[in-house]
Amino acid sequence: MRIAVLVKQVPLIEEIALDRDGRLARSGVPMEMNPHCRRAVAKGVELAAATGGSCTVVTMGPMTARQVLVEALDFGCDDGVLISDPAFAGSDTLATARALAAALTLAGPFDLILTGRNSVDADTGQVGPQLAELTGLPFLAGVRELRLAGQVLTARTERDDGWRDSVVALPAVLSCAERLCAPAKRPDAVETPALLDRIRLVTAADLGAGPWGQAGSPTRVGTLRRLTSVRAGTVLAGGLDAQAGRIAEILESAAADTAPARPHPGMAGQAGAYPVAVLAQPGRPRITRELLGEAARLSPGRVTAVLSGTDLTPQTAECWGADEAVIVSGHPGHPGRPSAEEDIASAVAGWCLDRGPRALLGPGTSWGREVAARIAARLGAGLVGDAVELALEKGKLICQKPVAGGSTLAAVYADSAVQLVTVRPGVLATPVSRVPAGIPVISLTAPADSRVTHVRQWTDSGIDELASARIVIGVGAGVDPDDYPLLRELAASVGAELAATRKVTDRGWQPHGRQVGVTGRSIAPEVYLALGLSGKDHHTIGVRRAATVVAVNRDPDAPVFRTADLGVVADWRPVVRALLDRLRAARRPPAAASAAR
């Protein structure tokens, strides 16, 4: 079996920053192999050895990027390909995928192409599915377990809040989850002549006319805005009882309150001149409602809901902001079989060419990223991933996207006729419904071309539960899993949900669906209670829309206090125990309270 592994050189995660042009700063910054790519290298070497095949490692970047190839070769890859040329500078994900596709065709053919699930510098997860679309291959994202039987691969993949079992015929493209295997690490690998001789340099001239780099990139980066905290940063004084009492007041107030209803943004205003379509993911009504509400705000009267499941009706879509609906049905030759992301993308891309919406909004989920990435590759369109804010300016949709580890927002837009955007769940408002009057409905039939068969899918932690919670308790690596029963008792007492940092989910202590931050989700609770977490930018960006942030950490210099409204410098355990005592006392009947005294 011939295997290709795609790797990326990125700055150390704590060193991630942008230059004035909005590109990744590389000069003078320590670099390493993207942590997610290390799993792909390890699995590629393992599979090549098991099948008596070979493993080729490929990267695209400046000449200094050959160091990640050297490390992969030292780990056990057979040969390497370095795609490097000044002409590739400024490549967005689509231009990168095109260059990779051309290089793989030059060096191939390959039976299996492995990538990391995403890169820590941009975290879009777009290159894998765009590459699959450009090469005509099936794609599986976030592979956690895999088994090969000849040319058939069975895989279990991590979804946003659960798992999916799939079967795919090779050749195929797979992105590797962090817990697929141990990472490939050779940090002390040296660029010996023997290793360098196994690296093939590929330039723009080798790949053809292009266009490459910025000239072949439909997206553009505009202004950069550094995120700064506007929180009060008040550290609570007094003893433990007084501190716990103040936190208890905040939690009880949030638990008792109800959010005021807001009018639907599409109920008033002039019909928009900028038609917007929304990809509705089956089984994700909340993010669909957020996207339809935002589309109606941007362009009232010109919103199309693209529905590909049976759980959302055109009437409901109209209540949430749609002015027409497109229903994508499965191929009649496969009744009852849900359409794969590849087939949905094919149908929707054809509709976009025919109807020409100016923008297509999708959810920033595993499903949404693949569908949007494939559509963008088919149309040659710009795709902005993981947007958190949207605005129309002079006929262009400007998308604010977290970059540089979540510390900065970049304004990104596209020059293409259709602009695609995936939006992070939980960052948009969820307006109240409007009264339906009936909307036009268009029917599409998805092809059945995909070689992927999804056998089973299930969830282990609901996205909607976390997104709709008024109180969320954030759990960091400083909280031992043996102490989780104490946190669950606190959560139950105030109707809260538990969230987690990336370190916690990486260790398997909480489901990935509970992860908040740059590589997780964004939430907007009334109260976010941070316990045992340091509060670095890549986590706290996920709670910047919280009404009140309360932090408990025994380190007075922890970054979390700079992004909190109220803070307690203490170990979280006695604080939570005192808090539970105050909450129990407040709910105790007067007679019982008197007897207790």
Side-chain angles (χ1 to χ4, degrees):
M1 176 177 289
R2 290 201 69 197
I3 300 169
V5 178
L6 310 183
V7 300
K8 184 177 182 182
Q9 188 185 52
V10 298
L12 293 173
I13 190 165
E14 60 270 19
E15 301 289 343
I16 291 175
L18 299 178
D19 60 23
R20 292 182 179 179
D21 296 326
R23 298 177 185 171
L24 196 65
R26 294 179 179 271
S27 179
V29 177
M31 307 290 282
E32 66 172 351
M33 185 188 298
N34 177 47
H36 300 289
C37 296
R38 294 186 183 278
R39 272 73 180 181
V41 170
K43 183 55 66 171
V45 170
E46 174 192 323
L47 291 173
T51 61
S54 63
C55 182
T56 299
V57 59
V58 182
T59 195
M60 176 175 163
M63 291 299 293
T64 53
R66 67 177 179 268
Q67 178 56 39
V68 296
L69 300 182
V70 168
E71 187 174 353
L73 292 171
D74 191 59
F75 188 82
C77 290
D78 297 284
D79 59 341
V81 175
L82 173 60
I83 308 168
S84 187
D85 193 302
F88 296 128
S91 295
D92 67 2
T93 60
L94 182 56
T96 299
R98 285 171 172 161
L100 289 169
L104 289 170
T105 300
L106 190 66
F110 294 98
D111 300 291
L112 185 61
I113 301 170
L114 301 177
T115 76
R117 181 168 187 164
N118 48 266
S119 61
V120 296
D121 54 344
D123 196 49
T124 61
Q126 293 169 191
V127 171
Q130 287 180 323
L131 175 68
E133 184 66 32
L134 293 170
T135 54
L137 295 178
F139 176 74
L140 291 177
V143 173
R144 173 70 180 272
E145 301 173 12
L146 65 84
R147 185 172 64 256
L148 269 175
Q151 290 295 301
V152 177
L153 185 145
T154 302
R156 174 162 294 176
T157 59
E158 291 182 352
R159 310 301 288 170
D160 305 284
D161 59 350
W163 308 86
R164 186 161 71 181
D165 289 341
S166 304
V167 177
V168 61
L170 299 183
V173 180
L174 274 60
S175 74
C176 302
E178 286 188 277
R179 291 188 284 273
L180 171 64
C181 59
K185 285 191 175 183
R186 288 290 193 276
D188 299 325
V190 179
E191 293 186 354
T192 64
L195 290 178
L196 292 177
D197 283 346
R198 289 155 59 188
I199 297 175
R200 175 183 179 181
L201 175 64
V202 173
T203 66
D206 297 321
L207 300 184
W212 308 113
Q214 189 165 4
S217 300
T219 59
R220 299 285 181 265
V221 178
T223 59
L224 303 177
R225 172 160 53 99
R226 177 77 181 181
L227 291 175
T228 56
S229 175
V230 294
R231 304 286 180 179
T234 302
V235 176
L236 292 176
L240 182 61
D241 287 344
Q243 293 169 333
R246 178 71 183 107
I247 298 174
E249 292 173 1
I250 294 171
L251 295 179
E252 289 187 310
S253 175
D257 198 8
T258 57
R262 287 170 287 184
H264 194 286
M267 294 179 66
Q270 300 296 316
Y274 191 95
V276 179
V278 169
L279 282 169
Q281 179 176 352
R284 292 287 179 266
R286 184 180 179 90
I287 179 59
T288 298
R289 187 171 182 176
E290 292 175 5
L291 292 172
L292 286 170
E294 183 70 0
R297 182 186 70 81
L298 293 168
S299 189
R302 301 294 302 276
V303 177
T304 302
V306 181
L307 314 176
S308 58
T310 59
D311 61 323
L312 190 64
T313 65
Q315 183 181 44
T316 301
E318 181 186 5
C319 290
W320 294 348
D323 302 296
E324 71 171 358
V326 172
I327 298 179
V328 183
S329 302
H331 195 277
H334 300 273
R337 170 185 162 184
S339 296
E341 288 87 338
E342 179 181 0
D343 296 336
I344 293 171
S346 175
V348 176
W351 174 79
C352 287
L353 285 172
D354 181 50
R355 293 294 300 273
R358 294 292 305 280
L360 181 61
L361 311 183
T365 60
S366 300
W367 181 92
R369 290 187 185 101
E370 179 174 354
V371 174
R374 283 186 173 275
I375 293 172
R378 277 181 173 259
L379 300 180
L383 169 58
V384 182
D386 205 33
V388 296
E389 295 177 16
L390 304 176
L392 280 174
E393 296 180 11
K394 298 180 180 180
K396 290 189 179 295
L397 183 60
I398 308 299
C399 311
Q400 299 291 335
K401 170 184 170 57
V403 292
S407 62
T408 302
L409 288 182
V412 187
Y413 61 95
D415 290 333
S416 50
V418 180
Q419 177 169 345
L420 289 95
V421 185
T422 58
V423 182
R424 181 178 296 184
V427 302
L428 302 174
T430 309
V432 297
S433 297
R434 64 185 180 186
V435 178
I439 57 175
V441 177
I442 302 168
S443 295
L444 297 178
T445 299
D449 298 332
S450 176
R451 284 168 284 179
V452 175
T453 300
H454 300 308
V455 179
R456 186 168 69 112
Q457 182 168 326
W458 67 101
T459 60
D460 58 8
S461 177
I463 289 178
D464 286 353
E465 296 171 2
L466 190 59
S468 60
R470 294 185 60 77
I471 301 172
V472 174
I473 300 172
V475 183
V479 177
D480 191 284
D482 291 341
D483 291 320
Y484 281 7
L486 189 62
L487 298 185
R488 294 190 181 100
E489 182 182 355
L490 175 60
S493 69
V494 293
E497 295 288 339
L498 295 184
T501 64
R502 177 174 172 169
K503 285 185 178 180
V504 170
T505 61
D506 283 354
R507 296 172 184 178
W509 296 351
Q510 285 284 297
H512 181 72
R514 296 279 168 170
Q515 184 175 316
V516 169
V518 169
T519 53
R521 64 197 74 264
S522 296
I523 54 176
E526 287 298 306
V527 178
Y528 184 71
L529 176 59
L531 301 176
L533 57 88
S534 63
K536 293 181 179 178
D537 288 343
H538 57 265
H539 172 74
T540 56
I541 189 176
V543 295
R544 66 191 184 95
R545 291 178 62 240
T548 302
V549 176
V550 181
V552 180
N553 195 300
R554 59 187 176 188
D555 179 5
D557 298 320
V560 71
F561 291 123
R562 297 195 295 270
T563 56
D565 296 284
L566 297 174
V568 175
V569 180
D571 182 84
W572 69 270
R573 295 174 188 82
V575 173
V576 168
R577 292 191 182 99
L579 186 53
L580 283 168
D581 288 343
R582 292 296 297 258
L583 292 170
R584 294 188 197 104
R587 290 170 186 154
R588 198 177 300 161
S594 298
R597 288 195 294 268

